[in-house]
Amino acid sequence: TSSFTTAGANTDAASNVTANTATLNGTLSASSTGILNTDVKTVKLCYSTTNTLSASGTLSSSPVCSSNLWGSTVLTGGVSPQSQAFSANVTGLTAGTNYYEQIQVVFYDDTVLNGAALLFATSTLQTATNGTVTGISSTAATLTGTVDAKGSTLSSVKFCYDTTTAF
């Protein structure tokens, strides 16, 4: 049995989640014996739209993974073992979709250590609906409409108009 099985891989909650982007997060914690930079082959942050796991606990339904995030880090062990946080920005996500993220660590002896698969959801896009135009005169009109901000904060809302239908 590898001594790395006592190390910890924690998937941390995704942050900066928008309709199409997110930051995936995870933490690798040393065991009492520590982790040398040569002990680790890869640390990746992965996501998938399904929470299907392989026998080793790895997201297995077409996951998309970051490049290898492991560098020349040394995590000391002992009474207060060190941890290293990792993050990866992802783009091209689909608005209003549930995703699962997971940190995946592979050690030099091919021991696999995965964090839990955590759910995050992208926001849906805001929608605007034109309302009625009232009070039309030769110099003025009252425009109405609604905006569903889908839980986000809008900094401004503007009406655009023209004297033709060509815009």
Side-chain angles (χ1 to χ4, degrees):
T1 303
S2 170
S3 63
F4 302 122
T5 57
T6 59
N10 296 311
T11 305
D12 301 320
S15 57
N16 304 316
V17 180
T18 68
N20 304 109
T21 64
T23 302
L24 307 181
N25 301 293
T27 305
L28 176 62
S29 301
S31 64
S32 60
T33 58
I35 299 174
L36 300 175
N37 61 346
T38 55
D39 291 340
V40 178
K41 283 185 183 178
T42 60
V43 173
K44 294 181 180 182
L45 290 165
C46 303
Y47 68 94
S48 176
T49 55
T50 37
N51 189 15
T52 305
L53 302 177
S54 68
S56 67
T58 302
L59 281 174
S60 62
S61 184
S62 302
V64 177
C65 295
S66 67
S67 59
N68 185 8
L69 301 171
W70 184 252
S72 58
T73 305
V74 173
L75 300 177
T76 59
V79 176
S80 299
Q82 288 183 318
S83 297
Q84 174 70 43
F86 298 93
S87 64
N89 296 321
V90 295
T91 60
L93 302 175
T94 302
T97 303
N98 288 336
Y99 289 93
Y100 297 89
E101 68 162 325
Q102 182 182 56
I103 186 170
Q104 299 177 353
V105 181
V106 178
F107 292 96
Y108 79 93
D109 64 356
D110 292 325
T111 299
V112 176
L113 184 61
N114 298 308
L118 294 184
L119 173 69
F120 71 95
T122 54
S123 58
T124 55
L125 297 174
Q126 298 86 0
T127 57
T129 305
N130 291 328
T132 58
V133 179
T134 60
I136 300 171
S137 72
S138 61
T139 59
T142 301
L143 307 175
T144 65
T146 60
V147 175
D148 183 349
K150 305 292 186 190
S152 64
T153 302
L154 300 176
S155 59
S156 67
V157 176
K158 298 178 183 180
F159 283 101
C160 297
Y161 62 92
D162 194 3
T163 56
T164 71
T165 59
F167 81 102

